[in-house]
């Protein structure tokens, strides 16, 4: 191509610029059309003659929820008392009470302002009115509590009465219903005898070791320890005392007394065709071989509902209701229809099951229709009855022993213990020891009603804890059975009358394996509404008790390298080495949750110890969890831990349990330990054994030998019966006016149900 025909660069640039300028309108983005500005009502009226008539009304009725400002989010929901119905009603009642009080004061001031000098006849009327008002106030004070019924249900006895009564009415908490067989025809003889196989291959009861070799060995060990104790106290001991008892009991036949010569013959309960059930003392006096047969049912066992002898929840609650209704009708002379004007105070154990409390509350409000109900714990009620503001309450009942420290009118939650033994275990131990010493009435069976009453009588008469009463002594008793002549037995006792009450300090002497039979068969455990974990109350003292009773994993081989072995923790001062083993004796040191400080009072070089904190494992787990470690993914779940605890019967020597409870209540403060040790109070029927308080003081002092601790076992004031102290305290609590906000009323319960317990109970429910 020639130079003349080729385009120059300048011509190319000019052509490109012309093309770009022609396409510019196409390359630029189109501008959006702006809507015409909204004209106001005045502009529309001025320019177009239109007037706006919508009045800013919305075109729909759906609520408009504004967006939440998440940078500054805040709410006051349930953060003020006036937003909770329970507190709001309490405030309204307080306002009404103040208004009534102000009105009375105004009327009194108006009456006092009358010029008595200008009045002749009316002056005497004013004086009479003032005197009448004073008399009415005094009468109101006197009748305070006349509309309050206090109920304390126990495993063996029910105590019930009006709050202004001096003492409650006590009756056996048992009901007898018609059945195909009586209890002695279905249950194995109690105390349970050991059986051996004879030459014919049949099982017969053993005569040599009637209750097993283990029992005989422990019995002889306790007897030898008692001999050492008596020698130390300069008591005289005959060398052949046991042989004298055995020979006398073996060769003494009973004496027959005709019924017309027996001044104390028993009036047995008369059976009629219309009698469907009997309650209390009448139930225990039904002949065992009656026609038709009756079977005894104890609806409350070991501080909760009896699930062993029942097949349905409704029958348990029906029996509880029937016993209470019969007691109100016969003992208090009140009809069920009149209870709508009465209030009720219910006493529950310190360590309770939530299902037990909620079922009892529903029963009182929906079956008996009390106007209001309040709930109080046993130890707190005992402190009210004794007038103690700080004490360690030891409540020894028939089937359970409760230990709890009370401080400033509140139960210390971490100190609560519920041990599954009591006065009935002492009765069984006494019978086993007496039968081992050839007790003349070898056929005794606690499933027979007359034998049960006889065994309780023998325990009350002859058991003691005084060294001076231990010698070979002769006694007698009368066996009265239906349709038979009275038999008078003579027998001798030696040391069994003291060794039987000592089972409080050696509970492993008896077999406790049957006490949890049937548990959780009717009522499942209570679960938390949010996380689904078991939420029955527990304490760190109880968790360590279970830890001490849990099966121990096999001890690992000792490390060859001594530098890799963690030194053992020092024992707690004042405790035996075996008692401190359940605090934490694993080689893995106790650890705390990530980002959390070590729990207060963690064992250190000084030897002080703190109870396990809530939420920690109490069993060594296969995932590497150790005692006291947080419940992380490697350990068992809370449900698995609760199921394992349900398989263990909580038993511990009484003296060690008291020290354990005080240790957890004090949380390492020496002053509190001294205060609780100097304020131990024993209540309940199990502590009525002669010399019980002195023996308990001696046992506790052996665990706390330091002179800095003054150990005092207090007695109930004003010579009150220790069996009624708890009821008496509950009656005092029921008569409080103006300061008791724990009443649950019918209208509140209809709206919120058992959730009210969270707001109404004096403790964290």
């Amino acid at each position: 191509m020639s130079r003349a025909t080729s385009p120059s660069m300048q011509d190319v640039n000019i052509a490109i610029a012309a093309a770009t300028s022609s396409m510019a309108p196409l390359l630029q983005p189109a501008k959006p059309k702006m809507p015409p500005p909204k004209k106001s009502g005045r502009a529309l009226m001025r320019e177009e003659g239109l007037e706006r008539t919508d009045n800013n009304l919305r075109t729909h009725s759906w609520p408009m929820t504004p967006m939440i400002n998440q940078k500054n989010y805040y709410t006051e929901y349930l953060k003020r008392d006036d937003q909770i119905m329970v507190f709001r009603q309490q405030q309204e009642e307080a306002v009404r009470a103040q208004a009534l009080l102000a009105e009375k004061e105004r009327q009194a001031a108006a009456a006092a302002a009358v010029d008595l000098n200008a009045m002749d006849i009316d002056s005497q009327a004013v004086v009479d009115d003032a005197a009448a008002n004073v008399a009415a106030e005094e009468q109101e004070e006197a009748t305070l509590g006349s509309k309050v019924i206090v109920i304390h249900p126990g495993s063996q006895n029910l105590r019930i009465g009006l709050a202004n009564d001096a003492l409650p009415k006590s009756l056996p908490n048992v009901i007898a219903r018609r059945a195909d067989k009586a209890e002695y025809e279905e249950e194995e003889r109690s105390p349970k005898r050991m059986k051996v196989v004879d030459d014919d291959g049949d099982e017969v009861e053993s005569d040599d070791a009637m209750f097993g070799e283990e029992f005989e060995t422990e019995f002889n060990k306790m007897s030898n320890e008692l001999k050492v104790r008596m020698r130390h106290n300069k008591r005289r001991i005959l060398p052949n005392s046991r042989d004298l008892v055995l020979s006398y009991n073996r060769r003494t036949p009973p004496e027959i007394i005709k019924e017309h010569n027996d001044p104390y013959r028993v009036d047995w309960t008369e059976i009629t065709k219309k009698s469907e059930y009997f309650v209390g003392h009448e139930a225990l006096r039904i002949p065992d071989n009656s026609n038709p047969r009756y079977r005894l049912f104890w609806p409350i066992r070991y501080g909760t509902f009896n699930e062993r002898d029942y097949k349905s929840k409704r029958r348990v609650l029906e029996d509880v209701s029937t016993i209470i209704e019969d007691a109100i009708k016969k003992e208090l002379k009140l009809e069920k229809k009149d209870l709508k004007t009465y209030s009720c105070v219910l006493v529950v154990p310190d360590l309770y099951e939530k299902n037990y409390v909620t079922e009892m509350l529903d029963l009182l409000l929906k079956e008996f229709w009390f106007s209001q109900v309040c709930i109080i714990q046993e130890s707190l009620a005992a402190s009210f009855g004794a007038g103690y503001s700080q004490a360690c309450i030891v409540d020894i009942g028939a089937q359970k022993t409760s230990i709890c420290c009370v401080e400033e009118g509140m139960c210390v939650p971490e100190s609560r213990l519920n041990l599954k033994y009591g006065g009935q275990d002492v009765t069984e131990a006494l019978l086993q020891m007496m039968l081992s010493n050839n007790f003349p009435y070898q056929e005794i069976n606690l499933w027979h009603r007359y034998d049960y009453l006889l065994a309780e009588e023998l325990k009350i008469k002859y058991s003691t804890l005084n060294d001076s009463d231990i010698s070979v002594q002769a006694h007698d008793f009368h066996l009265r059975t239906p349709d038979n002549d009275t038999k008078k037995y003579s027998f001798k006792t030696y040391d069994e009358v003291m060794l039987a009450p000592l089972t409080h300090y050696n509970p492993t002497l008896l077999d406790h394996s049957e006490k949890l039979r049937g548990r959780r068969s009717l009522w499942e455990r209570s679960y938390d509404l949010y996380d689904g974990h078991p939420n029955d109350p527990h304490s760190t003292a109880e968790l360590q008790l279970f830890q001490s009773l849990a099966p121990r994993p096999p001890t690992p081989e000792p490390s060859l390298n001594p530098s890799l072995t963690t030194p053992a923790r020092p024992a707690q001062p004042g405790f035996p080495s075996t008692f401190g083993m359940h605090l934490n004796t694993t080689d893995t040191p106790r650890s705390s949750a990530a980002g959390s400080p070590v729990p207060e009072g963690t064992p250190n070089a000084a030897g002080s110890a703190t109870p396990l904190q809530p939420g920690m494992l109490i069993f060594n787990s296969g995932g590497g969890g150790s005692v006291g470690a947080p419940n992380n993914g490697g350990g068992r779940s809370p449900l698995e831990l609760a199921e394992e605890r349900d398989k263990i019967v909580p038993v511990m020597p009484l003296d060690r349990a008291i020290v354990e409870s005080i240790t957890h209540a004090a949380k390492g403060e020496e002053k509190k330990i001294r205060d609780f040790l100097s304020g131990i109070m024993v209540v309940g029927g199990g502590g009525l054994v002669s010399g019980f308080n002195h023996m308990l003081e001696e046992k506790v002092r052996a665990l706390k030998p330091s002179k800095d601790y003054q150990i005092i076992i207090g007695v109930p004031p004003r010579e009150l019966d220790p069996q009624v102290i708890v009821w008496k305290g509950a009656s005092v609590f029921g008569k409080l006016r103006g300061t008791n906000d724990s009443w649950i009323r019918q209208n509140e319960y209809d709206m919120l149900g058992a959730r009210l317990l969270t707001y109404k109970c004096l403790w964290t429910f």
Side-chain angles (χ1 to χ4, degrees):
M1 181 179 295
S2 64
R3 185 175 181 87
T5 59
S6 61
S8 62
M9 291 298 297
Q10 185 177 1
D11 296 336
V12 173
N13 293 335
I14 293 174
I16 293 175
T20 303
S21 61
S22 62
M23 297 177 63
L26 300 176
L27 297 177
Q28 293 181 355
K31 295 182 179 179
K33 293 183 179 181
M34 299 297 295
K38 188 175 181 181
K39 295 182 180 181
S40 63
R42 292 183 179 180
L44 289 173
M45 187 66 183
R46 182 178 61 254
E47 297 177 3
E48 302 180 11
L50 300 177
E51 184 179 1
R52 186 173 181 178
T53 58
D54 58 355
N55 295 329
N56 293 323
L57 294 177
R58 294 187 299 173
T59 59
H60 56 82
S61 60
W62 293 99
M64 300 292 291
T65 304
M67 297 294 293
I68 297 177
N69 184 6
Q70 298 184 0
K71 294 183 178 179
N72 189 18
Y73 178 70
Y74 178 75
T75 180
E76 292 186 352
Y77 178 67
L78 293 183
K79 290 188 177 181
R80 298 195 307 269
D81 289 348
D82 56 0
Q83 295 175 337
I84 300 175
M85 185 197 68
V86 175
F87 294 109
R88 189 167 61 250
Q89 289 185 346
Q90 292 176 1
Q91 293 174 358
E92 293 173 356
E93 291 180 0
V95 171
R96 285 197 296 269
Q98 292 179 358
L100 291 175
L101 181 61
E103 180 64 20
K104 289 183 179 180
E105 293 178 352
R106 188 190 64 79
Q107 294 177 359
V114 177
D115 189 5
L116 298 179
N117 297 328
M119 302 175 61
D120 297 331
I121 303 176
D122 295 341
S123 60
Q124 186 63 32
V126 172
V127 174
D128 293 341
D129 291 342
N133 292 333
V134 172
E137 292 180 358
E138 292 179 354
Q139 184 179 3
E140 183 181 358
E141 291 292 337
T143 59
L144 184 64
S146 61
K147 290 289 186 178
V148 179
I149 297 178
V150 182
I151 301 176
H152 180 201
S155 299
Q156 183 172 2
N157 294 309
L158 169 70
R159 292 182 174 86
I160 188 172
L162 297 175
N164 60 348
D165 291 342
L167 294 173
K169 305 294 190 299
S170 298
L171 67 153
N173 197 6
V174 61
I175 183 172
R177 290 189 178 274
R178 289 190 180 184
D180 296 333
K181 295 181 180 180
E183 56 271 13
Y184 78 94
E185 296 174 324
E186 294 183 352
E187 303 288 346
E188 188 176 357
R189 187 160 59 157
S190 177
K192 185 178 179 181
R193 278 73 162 177
M194 297 295 294
K195 294 183 178 180
V196 296
V197 180
D198 59 4
D199 298 337
D200 298 333
D202 299 329
E203 289 188 352
V204 295
E205 295 180 354
S206 173
D207 296 330
D208 298 333
M210 187 178 300
F211 304 105
E213 295 292 342
E214 185 177 354
F215 174 82
E216 295 295 335
T217 302
E218 193 69 25
F219 181 26
N220 294 330
K221 177 183 176 182
M222 294 176 64
S223 181
N224 294 332
E225 292 177 352
L226 181 59
K227 291 180 181 179
V228 174
R229 171 190 172 86
M230 294 182 67
R231 289 193 185 99
H232 181 267
N233 294 334
K234 304 297 188 291
R235 302 291 183 186
R236 183 183 177 185
I237 303 176
L238 296 178
N240 58 342
S241 299
R242 181 66 60 83
D243 297 333
L244 293 176
V245 172
L246 291 172
S247 60
Y248 181 86
N249 292 341
R250 186 183 298 112
R251 58 182 172 81
T252 304
E255 177 185 351
I256 306 299
I257 300 177
K258 296 297 182 181
E259 184 179 2
H260 61 274
N261 291 330
D262 185 8
Y264 301 104
R265 58 181 177 270
V266 177
D267 295 329
W268 302 98
T269 303
E270 184 178 355
I271 304 297
T272 62
K273 294 182 179 180
K274 296 181 180 180
S275 302
E276 294 293 334
Y277 62 86
F278 294 92
V279 174
H281 296 287
E282 293 182 352
L284 294 177
R285 290 301 184 184
I286 298 177
D288 292 63
N289 56 352
S290 62
N291 186 18
R293 288 283 197 272
Y294 283 82
R295 179 180 173 85
L296 297 183
F297 291 94
W298 303 80
I300 296 178
R301 306 299 270 173
Y302 306 107
T304 186
F305 291 125
N306 181 6
E307 300 176 85
R308 174 181 178 268
D309 300 329
Y310 287 87
K311 297 181 180 179
S312 67
K313 295 181 183 179
R314 188 58 204 168
R315 178 49 63 92
V316 179
L317 298 176
E318 183 180 352
D319 284 356
V320 173
S321 175
T322 303
I323 294 173
I324 295 177
E325 181 181 355
D326 188 84
I328 291 176
K329 183 177 180 180
K330 293 182 179 179
E331 304 293 341
L332 305 184
K333 309 302 180 183
L334 295 174
E335 295 294 334
K336 190 175 181 180
K337 61 182 180 180
D338 301 330
L339 299 180
K340 293 183 178 180
T341 60
Y342 283 78
S343 305
C344 178
V345 179
L346 176 66
V347 183
V348 299
D350 304 320
L351 270 179
Y352 51 86
E353 293 183 3
K354 286 194 173 184
N355 288 329
Y356 170 76
V357 179
T358 55
E359 293 285 2
M360 290 295 293
L361 176 63
D362 186 79
L363 186 73
L364 296 175
L365 287 174
K366 294 305 179 184
E367 293 288 338
F368 292 93
W369 291 99
F370 284 106
S371 61
Q372 55 185 5
V373 175
C374 74
I375 300 174
I376 185 173
Q377 293 171 296
E378 289 177 342
S379 294
L380 182 58
S383 66
F384 269 77
Y388 291 173
S389 61
Q390 186 176 23
C392 178
I393 307 297
V394 182
D395 187 356
I396 305 176
Q399 295 182 348
K400 69 176 181 64
T401 298
S402 300
I403 304 172
C404 180
C405 295
V406 178
E407 184 179 16
E408 297 179 356
M410 293 292 292
C411 293
V412 182
E414 303 304 338
S415 66
R416 296 174 294 178
L417 281 173
N418 191 325
L419 309 177
K420 302 301 182 183
Y421 62 80
Q424 288 190 1
D425 295 271
V426 176
T427 303
E428 184 178 352
L430 179 63
L431 287 182
Q432 291 186 9
M433 294 176 180
M434 293 171 66
L435 289 171
S436 298
N437 289 345
N438 291 335
F439 186 61
Y441 180 35
Q442 288 284 318
E443 298 80 14
I444 190 169
N445 181 8
L446 290 178
W447 290 112
H448 285 291
R449 293 150 201 170
Y450 50 84
D451 285 347
Y452 169 78
L453 296 175
L454 173 62
E456 291 291 324
E457 180 184 354
L458 293 176
K459 179 189 68 174
I460 295 174
K461 280 187 176 181
Y462 305 126
S463 60
T464 181
L465 284 173
N466 292 323
D467 295 345
S468 58
D469 298 334
I470 304 305
S471 61
V472 178
Q473 299 183 14
H475 308 285
D476 59 65
F477 68 90
H478 295 78
L479 176 64
R480 299 178 175 90
T481 58
D483 302 328
N484 291 319
D485 294 332
T486 302
K487 295 181 179 180
K488 181 181 178 181
Y489 287 88
S490 298
F491 67 103
K492 284 187 177 182
T493 61
Y494 176 47
D495 57 356
E496 60 267 27
V497 294
M498 184 171 179
L499 296 182
L502 284 177
T503 53
H504 288 295
Y505 311 101
N506 188 17
T508 56
L509 176 70
L510 301 176
D511 181 20
H512 305 278
S513 59
E514 295 292 322
K515 292 184 176 181
L516 295 182
R517 186 154 62 95
R519 184 174 173 83
R520 309 293 184 191
S521 59
L522 298 181
W523 276 274
E524 293 185 359
R525 62 173 52 86
S526 177
Y527 295 96
D528 188 84
L529 182 62
Y530 298 100
D531 57 17
H533 292 168
N535 64 346
D536 279 332
H538 57 81
S539 65
T540 54
E542 182 199 28
L543 296 182
Q544 290 207 5
L545 168 62
F546 283 120
Q547 168 61 27
S548 65
L549 299 174
R552 294 288 177 178
T555 305
E557 292 290 335
S559 176
L560 298 178
N561 188 355
S563 62
L564 299 179
T565 304
T566 305
R569 298 185 183 276
Q572 189 170 358
F575 287 86
S577 59
T578 57
F579 180 54
M581 67 181 181
H582 61 275
L583 294 178
N584 189 354
T585 57
T586 58
D587 291 336
T588 305
R590 177 179 297 179
S591 60
S592 61
S596 301
V598 177
E600 178 184 356
T602 301
N604 50 30
S608 62
T610 259
L612 288 173
Q613 301 298 325
M616 294 182 177
L617 292 179
I618 66 167
F619 302 111
N620 288 336
S621 60
S626 61
V627 179
N631 188 5
N632 50 24
R636 293 183 176 91
S637 66
L639 178 59
E640 293 175 340
L641 294 177
E643 290 177 350
E644 288 197 15
R645 289 196 298 267
D646 285 347
K647 299 176 183 177
I648 301 175
V649 182
V651 291
M652 175 185 279
L654 182 60
D655 51 342
R656 295 183 177 182
I658 292 175
V659 176
E660 182 80 358
S661 176
I662 292 176
T663 303
H664 287 261
K667 297 180 180 178
E669 297 185 21
E670 286 293 325
K671 183 179 182 304
K672 287 187 177 181
I673 293 179
R674 290 194 296 269
D675 292 341
F676 285 129
L677 286 174
S678 62
I680 301 174
M681 186 177 68
V682 179
V683 299
L688 293 177
V689 180
S690 177
F692 186 90
N693 289 356
H694 178 73
M695 176 63 70
L696 180 60
E697 180 181 346
E698 181 180 335
K699 292 287 186 178
V700 175
R701 191 177 300 279
L703 295 178
K704 285 289 188 180
S706 175
K707 296 181 179 180
D708 298 335
Y709 300 122
Q710 184 180 11
I711 300 171
I712 300 176
I713 311 297
V715 296
R718 301 181 295 277
E719 298 181 356
L720 284 175
D721 186 356
Q723 299 179 93
V724 302
I725 283 293
V726 174
W727 183 94
K728 193 68 177 177
S731 67
V732 173
F733 180 74
K735 291 187 290 185
L736 295 178
R737 294 191 307 173
T739 58
N740 190 351
D741 298 331
S742 60
W743 291 105
I744 299 175
R745 296 168 178 80
Q746 284 282 352
N747 58 344
E748 300 172 347
Y749 188 78
D750 291 339
M751 287 186 285
L752 296 180
R755 288 178 293 172
L756 276 171
L757 293 170
T758 305
Y759 303 106
K760 291 290 190 175
C761 287
L762 299 179
W763 66 95
T764 302
F765 183 77

